[in-house]
Amino acid sequence: MKIVVAGVHGFGKHHVQNISRLPGAELVGVCDPRPADLGVPQSADLGALVRDTRAQVAIIATPIHTHADLAVTALRAGAHVLLEKPPAPSVAEFERIAAAVAETGRVVQIGFQSLGSAAIPVARSVVGEIRGIGVAGAWERPKSYYTRAAWAGKRRLDGVDVMDGALTNPFAHAVATAFSVAGPSPVESIDLELYHANDIQSDDTSSARVRLADGTVITVTVSLCAERRYEPFLELHGSDGTARLFYTTDELEAGGVRTGYGRTDLLANLLDHLRDGTDLLVPLASTEAFTRFLDAVRLAPEPAPIESADEQERRLVPGIAAFAARSARELKTLSELGFPDAPADDPWPEVRLGRTASYSYRSDIDVASAPRPYLHPVATLGGTVVTELQPADHIHHFGASVAISDVNGVNFWGGSTYVPGTGPVILPNHGRQRRRRLEPVEGGYLEHLDWTGPDGEVLLTEERTLLTRPLGDAWALDLSFTLTGSAKIESSATKGRAGAGYGGFFWRAPKASPNLDVFTAGALGEDSVHGSTSPWLCLVSDSWSLLFVQHDVVDPWFVRVAEYPGVGPALAWDKPLLVEGELRRSITVVVADGRMDRERAAELAAR
């Protein structure tokens, strides 16, 4: 299939990469006013480009207000279309695209990627008859987010509707997913509460209630002014109970168990439709309800300003994440919850290990950082945080996680890959750990994961256990993992980079901690401890101590202190490790306040 892409300097980059990995797909042209050196013809005229290249598919990843013109142009030039969300900034523009579909007999798939999730059909039935859906979203965005383009944060630009608000752009997937789960019942009414904390035209904090003709109620409360990013979710209220759909990670939580599902790529689905008639997952007509919602936002009064904390890099609306979570649970809008004055005491539905650790699985991790679950923040009983997330020196370090630099040539560590004779190189070989199931067990969680390559192939499966237990004035994390499959595990050291044997369980501690040091039962300092095979190791500062204890199999310790504080047993220290069947490792990490001495460390290591 010959494919052209319109708009390749934003999300269009993803589409260009995606085309290269899909069998039978070929990039034959680019439509963009700015130069894009991709080795194919480029033109600012999409219609001419489609005709000249004889493209069968045009992908449109341009600003919202350009969608209708470009989609109609591509359809009439002879191409089917994958159109990024939202389809159009108004019902009138949506209907213009629909008319071109009817006129040409070609199809348009809308790029709501979340609607390719296999979790959605399950979500429709897991709670019985759905009576209500609450959408909660709380993210942070810097002030620079609203200067990234001329249309950013605008409702209108030069008299043209652009509709770049929280409800209609960053959280558009949330709203569209709610409509998809609810089913095809027509929209009966839409009530909106639009606010802005930033100095923008559009909404950055908003609430809505939608009533469908069949009686289903959908509430939406979202904000881009939270203190940090929370993974958004849909709270499903049904005749048989409630459940949560985490639409960005394709996870459905019911009865305390989170189950992960696969996701069909929308371009692959469109190509399959054109080849053999496979049903489109997100045809234009299926997004009409969302477009009517967007049109209601377009026609609504200007968003009202709200008070916020004006920090140097961002605006913060205190407690907004708790309001969003309550809104989803109670199916109420912000004003009905007493915003902004009601107490914000409702926790976000997060995975917690005891009182001192969070276990996260995020959808927004860049593929080059090898997306995976991780522990952060982890704290001592006194509240001192002992993990560091995506520090500037190593953006691919994620608190405490299991990460391997090379599994059959796939990078599950993140960042560069060491190439013999060349050195570290960024390659398109990053894998990800995809959650299949997370269930509570006594003291913690049992998790099942797939280790998938960039092409989606499962290279290894994993069973991981995370348990916590008290140890007087400290506490312990017991983590074990079993990798199953057939694979060769390597590190940079096995390829010639001396001392760089990292790979396995790895803990990144805060770099700014005072007076860092490391010791084992018989050695002191980074140079002596790095590469040693002591059963335990202690990383200390004046504020906290981390005691690492290996069980059953003792691998060499990979240790950094001077450059940054990080510790982990190395699976492939100086030679490749072949996995045939199962590979099991187990470690305990004792987390304590203050600076631990060798005597105390030895005593705790024995417990």
Side-chain angles (χ1 to χ4, degrees):
M1 290 280 179
K2 296 181 177 180
I3 303 172
V4 297
V5 179
V8 295
H9 292 286
F11 192 72
K13 292 179 182 177
H14 161 79
H15 288 296
V16 171
Q17 294 168 353
N18 198 27
I19 291 168
S20 68
R21 74 169 186 83
L22 287 177
E26 179 187 4
L27 178 69
V28 296
V30 169
C31 178
D32 201 297
R34 290 183 289 169
D37 186 15
L38 294 173
V40 294
Q42 180 170 351
S43 171
D45 185 334
L46 181 59
L49 184 67
V50 169
R51 287 187 292 269
D52 292 345
T53 60
R54 298 183 180 180
Q56 293 121 306
V57 174
I59 298 174
I60 299 172
T62 57
I64 301 168
H65 60 287
T66 67
H67 282 189
D69 283 343
L70 290 174
V72 170
T73 295
L75 289 166
R76 288 177 174 165
H80 303 276
V81 172
L82 174 59
L83 178 62
E84 266 309 317
K85 59 80 183 169
S90 68
V91 169
E93 295 284 82
F94 178 90
E95 290 176 344
R96 190 155 69 90
I97 301 172
V101 168
E103 168 196 328
T104 63
R106 297 182 179 88
V107 300
V108 175
Q109 173 109 293
I110 304 302
F112 283 112
Q113 297 97 329
S114 63
L115 302 191
S117 175
I120 289 179
V122 181
R124 292 191 181 114
S125 60
V126 72
V127 295
E129 181 185 353
I130 291 180
R131 296 168 177 170
I133 300 174
V135 178
W139 289 347
E140 60 172 343
R141 287 291 186 269
K143 293 176 181 177
S144 59
Y145 177 77
Y146 298 104
T147 59
R148 70 193 192 280
W151 46 267
K154 300 288 198 305
R155 287 163 67 84
R156 294 169 189 86
L157 180 65
D158 298 329
V160 177
D161 294 320
V162 296
M163 303 310 299
D164 182 47
L167 284 172
T168 54
N169 195 357
F171 288 109
H173 281 99
V175 179
T177 303
F179 280 124
S180 179
V181 173
S185 182
V187 173
E188 192 171 80
S189 65
I190 300 173
D191 299 310
L192 295 165
E193 299 174 9
L194 306 180
Y195 308 99
H196 67 91
N198 287 277
D199 185 18
I200 57 175
Q201 290 181 8
S202 60
D203 60 300
D204 57 33
T205 301
S206 296
S207 205
R209 172 180 284 109
V210 180
R211 297 185 186 276
L212 304 183
D214 65 2
T216 302
V217 174
I218 300 173
T219 60
V220 183
T221 296
V222 297
S223 179
L224 298 175
C225 302
E227 68 272 19
R228 62 180 178 85
R229 176 195 165 93
Y230 296 82
E231 206 61 52
F233 66 93
L234 277 60
E235 183 110 5
L236 312 178
H237 302 257
S239 57
D240 297 336
T242 62
R244 292 191 182 106
L245 172 62
F246 295 86
Y247 67 91
T248 55
T249 58
D250 305 315
E251 291 182 293
L252 188 62
E253 182 180 299
V257 176
R258 291 195 186 191
T259 303
Y261 294 84
R263 178 182 290 194
T264 300
D265 180 86
L266 295 185
L267 176 57
N269 173 244
L270 173 58
L271 299 184
D272 286 344
H273 172 79
L274 300 178
R275 291 181 184 121
D276 57 30
T278 299
D279 289 343
L280 282 182
L281 287 169
V282 198
L284 177 69
S286 71
T287 63
E288 181 177 359
F290 173 83
T291 305
R292 294 195 178 280
F293 177 85
L294 184 150
D295 209 41
V297 175
R298 181 180 69 89
L299 298 172
E302 300 294 311
I306 53 174
E307 291 187 5
S308 62
D310 187 7
E311 300 183 351
Q312 182 175 358
E313 299 295 330
R314 62 172 183 169
R315 295 273 186 149
L316 173 66
V317 177
I320 191 60
F323 274 110
R326 280 189 61 198
S327 169
R329 191 181 71 238
E330 300 176 26
L331 295 177
K332 292 181 179 179
T333 63
L334 282 171
S335 64
E336 293 169 336
L337 293 172
F339 176 78
D341 300 319
D345 56 358
D346 293 278
W348 199 267
E350 293 187 295
V351 175
R352 298 285 298 175
L353 285 163
R355 296 183 294 107
T356 50
S358 291
Y359 191 53
S360 298
Y361 181 70
R362 281 178 21 217
S363 63
D364 66 324
I365 298 174
D366 186 82
V367 66
S369 291
R372 57 194 180 271
Y374 62 87
L375 289 153
H376 178 81
V378 179
T380 66
L381 294 179
T384 301
V385 174
V386 292
T387 49
E388 193 157 42
L389 180 68
Q390 293 190 280
D393 55 66
H394 288 81
I395 196 73
H396 50 278
H397 286 181
F398 288 86
S401 67
V402 180
I404 299 174
S405 61
D406 190 317
V407 178
N408 290 354
V410 176
N411 182 339
F412 288 98
W413 180 268
S416 61
T417 295
Y418 187 79
V419 178
T422 301
V425 180
I426 296 292
L427 300 175
N429 67 335
H430 294 92
R432 68 174 61 237
Q433 296 170 24
R434 184 169 63 85
R435 179 181 289 161
R436 290 188 288 117
R437 187 175 175 87
L438 179 75
E439 58 186 297
V441 295
E442 185 177 355
Y445 288 89
L446 172 65
E447 183 175 36
H448 297 270
L449 297 156
D450 287 337
W451 290 51
T452 64
D455 58 357
E457 178 186 0
V458 177
L459 302 179
L460 293 168
T461 61
E462 180 191 349
E463 181 178 288
R464 183 180 303 178
T465 304
L466 304 100
L467 307 173
T468 61
R469 53 189 169 93
L471 282 176
D473 59 355
W475 66 275
L477 167 72
D478 297 318
L479 185 146
S480 63
F481 63 91
T482 301
L483 298 172
T484 301
S486 177
K488 181 167 77 169
I489 292 175
E490 294 194 78
S491 66
S492 297
T494 68
K495 303 174 187 177
R497 186 182 176 191
Y502 52 83
F505 175 76
F506 180 74
W507 191 295
R508 171 63 193 252
K511 190 173 184 176
S513 303
N515 296 318
L516 290 160
D517 209 344
V518 64
F519 60 83
T520 65
L524 174 65
E526 178 180 349
D527 291 343
S528 299
V529 171
H530 183 63
S532 66
T533 54
S534 170
W536 64 262
L537 174 152
C538 197
L539 180 67
V540 296
S541 77
D542 289 345
S543 303
W544 50 259
S545 297
L546 296 170
L547 172 65
F548 300 84
V549 186
Q550 296 189 61
H551 305 291
D552 302 324
V553 178
V554 177
D555 294 310
W557 293 105
F558 175 83
V559 179
R560 289 286 185 266
V561 176
E563 182 184 359
Y564 63 83
V567 168
L571 293 175
W573 176 252
D574 55 9
K575 60 179 180 293
L577 174 64
L578 298 180
V579 179
E580 292 293 345
E582 289 187 350
L583 172 74
R584 178 179 169 80
R585 292 293 188 269
S586 181
I587 191 168
T588 293
V589 185
V590 178
V591 181
D593 285 291
R595 194 177 195 90
M596 193 180 299
D597 60 24
R598 183 174 275 127
E599 182 180 359
R600 174 66 169 155
E603 185 237 327
L604 287 171
R607 293 172 63 177

